Amino acid sequence: MSERKPALGVFGAGWVGLVTGACFADLGHDVVVRDVVSERIEKLNAGELPFHEPGLSEVIERNRERLTFTLDASELTAGADIFFACVDTPATPSGDADLSSVWSVIEDLGEPGEATLVMKSTVPVGTGERIRVALDQRKLAGLGYVSNPEFLAEGRAVEDFMHPDRIVIGAFDEAHGDRVAALYEGFEAPILRTSVPSAEMIKLAANAFLATRISFINEIANVCEALGADVDEVAHGMGLDRRVGASYLRPGLGYGGSCFPKDVSFLKLLAGNSGYHFQLVSAVIEVNELQKRRVVNKLKEHLGSLRGKTIALLGLAFKPNTDDMREAPSIVLASRLLAEGAEVRGWDPLVRSHPSLDGVAIQKSMLEAVRGADAAVIVTEWPELEALPSPEVRDAMRTRLVVDGRNLLDPEVVRAAGFEYEGIGRP
Ligand code: UGA
């Protein structure tokens, strides 16, 4: 007879919580996922996902029997052996992490006896130690605390969960660390055992490093533009050096999303609060801010004043395969263009409206978005946009200018189709 797998309780039905809960259910665990937003739980119980994530509905559907979605924390605390905190940690007005949802989880746990609390939410370094003290003060010594940061990228989160590069487990107590490590038995990835603060730092440092690579290649792109080199050739040549590697060297309009902007800034402030001025990440943030705005200058170089010009923003989500608009470069770009007096249209395969895109006329099709436009700007590299250099689009546009903010298209193909073309860091 096979041993019973530990029952799991997941706080938070956002990206991390749902992917974690659904994937562990797929691995044979009974999982209760609790969220405080009733609409979210109703949707999940009706078989709908609250956001777009490829492959996730299928995993949820085939594990319905092992998955419960609830608003009631006691349903979760009643039978679980291991709890996962997968709640959001947004920025406060000062830019630091708002940990109120994390502290609510601690409250909602009540007195669970012998169990393990696993922190998946991204938290400032030192949070685990503060939580440990709070648990001990409440005489919850039987409740172990483990930091097990997530490295899931939206759009491929299920794949990232099932095939991670590494699993990081930071524990105060070896037995609780072993318990969490056992959940990942059979995974091919190395399991790295660390202290709790190191695990917390690995998460922030990894995201900040990836963001640094992006800002670095974006600056190389900007210098390439001035000097006549081609950044795609340069990135390829750099990436072939095994010490450098090829990933996160795609130039563009800068990084967005719910993680990089927030985590890089958390790291900067965390260092600052402890008296260290982290100059490199400050520069990474500044480069990223300016990168989103460079497109406006490119448009002006071609079109002169943008007042009264119609600009189509193609791809609005912060990256392809998601409907997530958090910190999407399209928001800054739209707002800058509207301030210049342009008429701004938008199109995205998934995003149909968004409060931050007030003033942008979002169209149902790419062709409608470019009709009568003076420029088409590729903001997000949706594969659908590869069809852009077509006779239909050319005939629909008033001025045949393509600004490719993600270097998605082959400049020669676009020019041969009768457009003017501008990329990022391309001659
Ligand atoms: C990121 C990390 O990749 C995950 O490992 C991490 O778990 C997650 O944050 C998190 O902290 O929760 P995500 O924000 O979903 O995941 O998206 P990425 O695919 O990493 O892209 C982030 C941004 O960087 C996007 O705006 C993307 O367009 C941009 N990017 C990425 C570039 O501009 N160039 C690149 O070469 C790569």
Side-chain angles (χ1 to χ4, degrees):
M1 207 180 77
S2 69
E3 231 178 88
R4 180 184 81 89
K5 295 203 171 202
L8 310 180
V10 177
F11 287 93
W15 247 283
V16 177
L18 277 186
V19 173
T20 303
C23 290
F24 274 129
D26 213 30
L27 294 169
H29 296 267
D30 285 323
V31 183
V32 180
V33 181
R34 185 267 185 144
D35 203 284
V36 291
V37 181
S38 53
E39 202 192 357
R40 198 160 261 243
I41 295 300
E42 278 160 24
K43 271 195 172 173
L44 287 162
N45 281 328
E48 278 175 60
L49 268 189
F51 46 76
H52 177 84
E53 181 59 41
L56 183 56
S57 332
E58 290 81 347
V59 184
I60 293 180
E61 274 320 305
R62 67 171 176 260
N63 291 289
R64 278 269 159 208
E65 283 189 2
R66 279 196 282 265
L67 270 170
T68 307
F69 301 109
T70 182
L71 283 166
D72 182 358
S74 68
E75 245 188 275
L76 180 144
T77 48
D81 308 293
I82 302 179
F83 301 101
F84 284 89
C86 302
V87 292
D88 61 337
T89 50
T92 61
S94 64
D96 300 284
D98 176 353
L99 295 177
S100 48
S101 299
V102 169
W103 289 110
S104 298
V105 168
I106 312 284
E107 285 304 311
D108 292 337
L109 275 173
E111 292 182 13
E114 288 294 318
T116 309
L117 171 62
V118 185
M119 186 56 63
K120 281 239 172 246
S121 301
T122 302
V123 293
V125 181
T127 302
E129 284 176 341
R130 283 172 57 204
I131 293 178
R132 185 67 266 166
V133 170
L135 295 176
D136 290 344
Q137 279 170 351
R138 284 174 48 188
K139 310 254 181 298
L140 296 178
L143 178 64
Y145 182 93
V146 173
S147 167
N148 171 217
E150 57 84 17
F151 302 102
L152 312 173
E154 285 176 25
R156 49 164 206 269
V158 173
E159 172 70 16
D160 282 351
F161 186 95
M162 293 299 195
H163 304 283
D165 286 349
R166 79 303 208 184
I167 292 151
V168 175
I169 295 179
F172 293 115
D173 168 286
E174 211 176 322
H176 286 283
D178 290 347
R179 213 173 181 204
V180 177
L183 294 176
Y184 296 98
E185 220 166 72
F187 278 59
E188 273 169 22
I191 293 185
L192 179 66
R193 301 287 292 264
T194 67
S195 70
V196 171
S198 298
E200 293 167 339
M201 184 56 118
I202 287 170
K203 166 69 192 198
L204 290 177
N207 271 1
F209 187 72
L210 294 173
T212 302
R213 289 176 65 102
I214 298 171
S215 278
F216 182 85
I217 202 66
N218 281 336
E219 288 217 281
I220 292 287
N222 301 341
V223 179
C224 281
E225 277 174 21
L227 302 180
D230 180 335
V231 71
D232 292 326
E233 290 176 354
V234 174
H236 184 58
M238 285 168 63
L240 287 174
D241 184 328
R242 271 173 297 172
R243 294 167 303 173
V244 176
S247 57
Y248 285 76
L249 285 182
R250 271 183 292 112
L253 300 182
Y255 58 80
S258 65
C259 305
F260 284 0
K262 185 180 67 122
D263 291 355
V264 179
S265 143
F266 279 176
L267 184 56
K268 175 186 160 167
L269 292 171
L270 204 55
N273 292 343
S274 68
Y276 182 73
H277 176 39
F278 202 148
Q279 296 183 60
L280 186 56
V281 291
S282 302
V284 167
I285 295 168
E286 192 181 342
V287 169
N288 197 54
E289 284 309 312
L290 294 174
Q291 194 67 14
K292 300 177 214 170
R293 296 156 189 263
R294 281 177 65 85
V295 165
V296 177
N297 290 341
K298 284 183 195 272
L299 289 168
K300 281 183 180 168
E301 276 163 27
H302 284 267
L303 302 172
S305 163
L306 298 181
R307 181 156 295 281
K309 301 279 168 31
T310 301
I311 312 293
L313 300 183
L314 305 178
L316 301 169
F318 86 93
K319 67 174 191 179
N321 289 322
T322 178
D323 54 359
D324 197 341
M325 283 295 295
R326 286 177 286 179
E327 301 285 333
S330 63
I331 297 172
V332 172
L333 201 50
S335 153
R336 282 289 305 115
L337 291 169
L338 289 167
E340 293 283 334
E343 184 194 319
V344 185
R345 307 248 192 86
W347 174 77
D348 187 279
L350 292 177
V351 179
R352 297 279 172 260
S353 68
H354 194 268
S356 303
L357 292 176
D358 233 17
V360 177
I362 299 181
Q363 307 295 314
K364 288 206 176 71
S365 70
M366 188 229 293
L367 198 58
E368 280 315 303
V370 299
R371 195 174 300 288
D374 296 290
V377 181
I378 298 182
V379 186
T380 307
E381 66 278 29
W382 281 99
E384 286 87 333
L385 291 173
E386 281 167 26
L388 186 74
S390 67
E392 294 75 37
V393 171
R394 188 189 57 218
D395 296 344
M397 290 181 72
R398 181 160 60 193
T399 315
R400 292 154 180 174
L401 170 63
V402 172
V403 177
D404 183 354
R406 297 288 172 183
N407 288 358
L408 175 72
L409 305 175
D410 179 339
E412 281 178 26
V413 171
V414 184
R415 289 188 184 116
F419 297 87
E420 271 191 280
Y421 177 89
E422 269 279 349
I424 305 288
R426 288 173 150 180

